[in-house]
Amino acid sequence: MAADAVTMDKIVALCKRRGLIFPASEIYGGIANTYDYGHYGVLLKRNVIDAWWQAMIGDRTDIVALDSAIIQHPRTWEASGHLAGFTDPLIDCKTCGQRFRADHLGELQCGRKPSKHPGETPECDLTEAREFNLMFETTIGPVKEAGATVYLRPETAQGIFLDFKTVLGFARKKPPFGIAQVGKSFRNEITPGNFVFRTLEFEQMEMEFFVPPDEAQQWHEHWLAERLDWYVRLGIRPDHLKLRPHDADELSHYSSATSDVEYLYPIGWSELEGIANRGDFDLTQHAQHSGEKLEYFDTASGQRYVPHVIEPAAGVGRTVLAVLCDAYDEEEVAGEQRTLLRLHPRLAPIKVAVLPLVRKDGQPELAQEVFQALRGQLQAEYDEGGSIGKRYRRQDEIGTPFCVTIDHQSLEDRTVTVRERDSLAQERVAVDELPAVLGGRLVAPWQTPKLAEA
Ligand code: ATP
């Protein structure tokens, strides 16, 4: 398939059609940049998160897990710099009443004349840019006026810094070591979202890796390579991924070096993950604001220091979107168009679908027996409704790597057909051998045709 066959519209349509991801609050007309994940979307998302945890704490012994609160003490955001500096410059148009990101005017459409950018028509009446904080505010306490203003976290990282001392106390680790967490973050984004690329609430997978200051650069390079490789291991084409170092004027206030992992989305190369060298900025800031010492004392060398921090910060939604775009394929088979997701089996929401060819002659009963034997071991699905062709198409579109079909011969000799999603190869396998055969194939190194091409 030509890489440009995939468009954002096709991904959005497939996600809706198969119930992976769809607009939230749809019965009320939707709500800006907010989506819900249906059954297959939840399973896909969970597989992405599991793969991340595997890379962080399954495959290594120098990282521990954390799940910190979404609402933290409001002084957190004073110390982190978010209250003062986590802003976008916004411009209002007094004519159409719309609000625009001042730094994105060239990509945005004017409210009155869709073919023009804001400010391009004589009627446009734009205000000066004003800084607008991206944090969502809310209140603790029953009375708004008397309550305390708090914020929904705009990143999960700060919870890790707040707990640095506590974790150091029980984790039996010393630098270099990391603290990882996955959870929701919230940003009041006004730029149109491009599906789940930019949403108001989104899950982040963040890890803060605390290192002796003189090892920071070497660990930054280590994590750049590790994180790029992780996406390749999820089956994403290596030539659709790149590392892009930030220019000096792009760097965040806390960072001495940042590189983004970018993916070639249908909207062009865009950030999938940021990998920053945050230096000692966060621990020093929180130490100053809280009065707590946030440092490490090395009993062996007698050295006391504030660790530097390397942070790989990834988005779950952007990873799901990259995986979907990369797996999307269309091809013609026997004169018919087939749409499929060539997902890595590790990420596929359903690993095997069990399908009786017809809904009679004892086929559903045997298919149920096969399904019950598989489902304890694999994420399996049973489907007996509709023509077999339609059922295959449905499984192809949600990326199911294997379909097992029960036909009249199955009742005679207890063999079934295993259909492979990518090659469409079909093979007869004895029912009793199915769990071993499928289990073996799912853990074997997997090469989709697209990776073989790359
Ligand atoms: P962008 O420049 O695209 O707004 P960012 O540089 O502000 O992103 P970070 O603060 O580095 O993003 O956040 C780390 C990761 O969290 C991003 O690489 C992305 O995967 C994810 N992320 C950030 N903002 C959003 C959002 N609004 N919707 C979905 N994912 C997001």
Side-chain angles (χ1 to χ4, degrees):
M1 180 196 74
D4 57 6
V6 57
T7 63
M8 201 64 102
D9 286 348
K10 287 183 186 177
I11 296 292
V12 171
L14 185 142
C15 285
K16 179 99 198 269
R17 186 162 72 241
R18 298 300 177 192
L20 277 87
I21 308 171
F22 37 84
S25 299
E26 232 183 341
I27 61 167
Y28 289 107
I31 176 163
N33 298 349
T34 307
Y35 292 87
D36 291 344
Y37 285 70
H39 183 65
Y40 301 124
V42 171
L43 294 177
L44 170 60
K45 184 153 73 93
R46 198 185 64 182
N47 293 341
V48 165
I49 294 171
D50 283 352
W52 189 84
W53 278 122
Q54 179 64 33
M56 291 295 153
I57 60 169
D59 297 345
R60 353 188 3 135
T61 54
D62 53 359
I63 298 179
V64 295
L66 180 73
D67 191 348
S68 70
I70 285 174
I71 296 175
Q72 299 282 2
H73 194 288
R75 293 200 61 204
T76 304
W77 312 109
E78 236 175 85
S80 70
H82 282 85
L83 259 182
F86 194 55
T87 54
D88 278 341
L90 296 186
I91 281 181
D92 291 306
C93 176
K94 291 185 194 155
T95 311
C96 69
Q98 289 203 19
R99 183 168 276 184
F100 307 99
R101 275 268 298 261
D103 51 343
H104 287 195
L105 288 184
E107 304 150 36
L108 299 171
Q109 291 187 336
C110 168
R112 302 181 78 209
K113 300 239 169 59
S115 59
K116 300 265 188 187
H117 301 304
E120 281 185 359
T121 71
E123 301 93 69
C124 294
D125 185 4
L126 302 184
T127 62
E128 290 292 308
R130 283 179 305 125
E131 291 300 325
F132 172 80
N133 199 295
L134 291 171
M135 286 196 294
F136 281 104
E137 248 179 63
T138 187
T139 315
I140 293 185
V143 185
K144 191 162 194 311
E145 293 69 34
T149 299
V150 290
Y151 303 91
L152 303 187
R153 66 181 174 196
E155 60 175 34
T156 63
Q158 296 304 322
I160 296 179
F161 298 126
L162 302 192
D163 286 343
F164 169 76
K165 198 173 169 187
T166 310
V167 173
L168 199 60
F170 65 67
R172 305 180 66 79
K173 300 277 180 221
K174 58 182 210 157
F177 84 103
I179 305 178
Q181 86 166 318
V182 176
K184 277 220 167 161
S185 294
F186 305 81
R187 296 184 188 177
N188 199 352
E189 306 262 13
I190 68 139
T191 310
N194 282 316
F195 198 33
V196 291
F197 182 83
R198 188 179 300 285
T199 48
L200 300 187
E201 52 180 278
F202 52 97
E203 276 166 288
Q204 289 188 306
M205 306 179 283
E206 294 197 297
M207 194 273 294
E208 309 303 316
F209 203 69
F210 300 91
V211 301
D214 58 353
E215 293 178 22
Q217 195 186 333
Q218 146 202 350
W219 280 109
H220 191 219
E221 281 158 25
H222 168 88
W223 282 108
L224 292 180
E226 277 292 310
R227 294 305 304 147
L228 188 63
D229 186 54
W230 184 75
Y231 293 100
V232 176
R233 282 186 276 132
L234 294 188
I236 296 182
R237 268 169 272 226
D239 60 342
H240 283 186
L241 290 164
K242 71 174 182 198
L243 282 172
R244 189 186 66 82
H246 280 203
D247 295 331
D249 60 350
E250 271 183 278
L251 289 175
S252 315
H253 56 283
Y254 53 75
S255 170
S256 60
T258 297
S259 286
D260 289 342
V261 180
E262 292 194 339
Y263 174 72
L264 185 55
Y265 291 97
I267 50 170
W269 287 102
S270 310
E271 175 177 339
L272 191 50
E273 165 161 357
I275 301 155
N277 179 349
R278 297 178 78 120
D280 61 2
F281 176 82
D282 304 274
L283 289 181
T284 305
Q285 284 291 105
H286 287 302
Q288 277 170 7
H289 282 73
S290 67
E292 286 283 342
K293 275 199 175 123
L294 301 178
E295 54 190 25
Y296 176 70
F297 178 63
D298 188 342
T299 41
S301 69
Q303 261 190 323
R304 186 181 291 282
Y305 62 87
V306 179
H308 282 210
V309 173
I310 307 302
E311 174 197 73
V316 176
R318 287 193 194 177
T319 307
V320 165
L321 185 59
V323 159
L324 288 170
C325 293
D326 217 73
Y328 184 92
D329 203 356
E330 290 167 356
E331 63 180 16
E332 208 179 285
V333 179
E336 280 203 28
Q337 182 85 358
R338 167 170 102 113
T339 301
L340 70 159
L341 291 180
R342 295 189 193 274
L343 290 174
H344 191 292
R346 176 179 190 186
L347 298 183
I350 303 293
K351 314 299 181 201
V352 56
V354 181
L355 318 169
L357 189 61
V358 291
R359 213 184 324 186
K360 57 182 185 184
D361 303 335
Q363 289 184 21
E365 290 75 10
L366 180 56
Q368 269 296 337
E369 181 194 323
V370 169
F371 170 61
Q372 296 303 338
L374 289 174
R375 62 188 277 262
Q377 181 189 335
L378 304 166
Q379 190 72 45
E381 184 170 274
Y382 175 82
D383 185 7
E384 62 173 30
S387 78
I388 191 72
K390 276 206 178 126
R391 281 180 279 158
Y392 282 150
R393 258 199 308 278
R394 181 165 176 275
Q395 296 300 331
D396 285 343
E397 287 203 352
I398 60 166
T400 306
F402 298 105
C403 286
V404 167
T405 312
I406 285 79
D407 56 17
H408 64 279
Q409 189 185 329
S410 311
L411 293 160
E412 287 162 16
D413 63 5
R414 285 183 69 82
T415 64
V416 293
T417 305
V418 175
R419 171 189 182 270
E420 205 268 329
R421 176 196 70 205
D422 290 341
S423 64
L424 289 175
Q426 302 213 7
E427 164 191 1
R428 283 205 90 85
V429 174
V431 165
D432 297 339
E433 286 166 20
L434 254 188
V437 168
L438 290 176
R441 291 209 190 152
L442 287 164
V443 294
W446 185 265
Q447 264 223 330
T448 62
K450 70 176 193 206
L451 273 181
E453 283 158 24

